[in-house]
Amino acid sequence: MDNFSVRNECNFHNLAAKPKRIHLLDKPNGYASAMVKSSLSHQMRFTAQKLEEELCAADNPHVLQIKLLGNDSREPSSWKLLADGTCVADGSGAFARECFYEGAEVFLDLCRNAVRAAELHQWSQREYELLSAARGVAGV
């Protein structure tokens, strides 16, 4: 609600603010998936996965991990984006949420730009596969 609509409210009963909704990069396909996919942590993990797939398709593979910090598994208090084990971006959970309020691809663009700005070593497909397997063994 902007200020103009708040000032022109004619019904003075049951006034409530409409909650902001995050734009989802990973769209749900039913009620159960909406419960999972509407969490900020899921959208952030999906963004890192989508970016990693995008980089592989562009012959610029990098192993991406997003580390979510905090006590709430659905709402991280902070996060770190790691590319090939190097931290390329970090921030608060509130900042990430604001990105998703603005648009579904805003956080993706932020991560894409951070990886590009880091000027990481160019890996071969085989080296990427080894790094990716190491990530799987480490369980992250």
Side-chain angles (χ1 to χ4, degrees):
M1 273 176 146
D2 60 11
N3 288 337
F4 182 79
S5 63
V6 169
R7 292 177 189 199
N8 291 328
E9 184 62 47
C10 294
N11 179 3
F12 298 105
H13 301 285
N14 295 325
L15 297 173
K18 294 177 186 170
K20 288 183 179 180
R21 299 204 183 259
I22 67 172
H23 297 273
L24 306 177
L25 190 60
D26 186 14
K27 304 281 188 213
N29 55 8
Y31 180 76
S33 71
M35 295 300 291
V36 172
K37 293 180 179 184
S38 65
S39 76
L40 179 61
S41 59
H42 173 80
Q43 290 298 317
M44 293 173 76
R45 284 187 194 100
F46 181 78
T47 299
Q49 176 186 344
K50 184 172 173 119
L51 179 56
E52 185 172 328
E53 292 168 1
E54 178 184 300
L55 293 170
C56 283
D59 290 328
N60 185 20
H62 294 286
V63 174
L64 301 182
Q65 298 166 274
I66 192 144
K67 187 172 184 176
L68 304 177
L69 307 166
N71 296 333
D72 187 351
S73 63
R74 292 179 51 86
E75 295 292 322
S77 58
S78 60
W79 56 272
K80 291 182 180 195
L81 176 66
L82 305 166
D84 304 334
T86 302
C87 183
V88 295
D90 61 82
S92 70
F95 176 82
R97 179 166 283 288
E98 286 298 321
C99 288
F100 284 102
Y101 283 155
E102 191 172 323
E105 299 219 357
V106 173
F107 191 72
L108 176 63
D109 291 340
L110 174 104
C111 294
R112 185 183 296 123
N113 292 339
V115 171
R116 187 178 303 127
E119 298 179 353
L120 300 166
H121 173 76
Q122 181 71 36
W123 301 108
S124 70
Q125 187 63 31
R126 179 69 181 140
E127 291 169 320
Y128 164 75
E129 290 169 3
L130 287 170
L131 282 172
S132 186
R135 172 184 57 192
V137 169
V140 279

